Amino acid sequence: MTASTYTITGMACGHCAESVTEELERIAGVTAVTVDVDSGTVVVTSDRDLKTADVRAAVEQAGYELKAEETGFGEGDGPQS
């Protein structure tokens, strides 16, 4: 499993979180999405490494902007580049 944290700009409410979650869950391999509206972060857990471009496209489809990928950790791994 891989968990990556992203910063998203423009989210302000629970509906925002639902929209982002819905789009991210459509990416093949995604197993869980946790959105924190207050901090503007989302943690995406997947069974494979995700392409940042795919995550960005999903976030933009929901109507928001992916600011940057902060961390990505696989089982027993350090940060991934």
Side-chain angles (χ1 to χ4, degrees), residues 21-74:
T21 298
E22 199 173 282
E23 292 300 329
L24 289 170
E25 286 177 338
R26 294 178 187 203
I27 299 172
V30 170
T31 58
V33 176
T34 305
V35 178
D36 183 337
V37 174
D38 293 332
S39 68
T41 60
V42 61
V43 177
V44 181
T45 305
S46 60
D47 59 11
R48 64 185 86 161
D49 289 337
L50 299 177
K51 294 180 182 178
T52 301
D54 292 342
V55 174
R56 183 179 311 282
V59 169
E60 289 175 356
Q61 181 66 33
Y64 304 95
E65 182 180 344
L66 182 67
K67 184 175 179 184
E69 180 178 0
E70 293 180 347
T71 59
F73 297 97

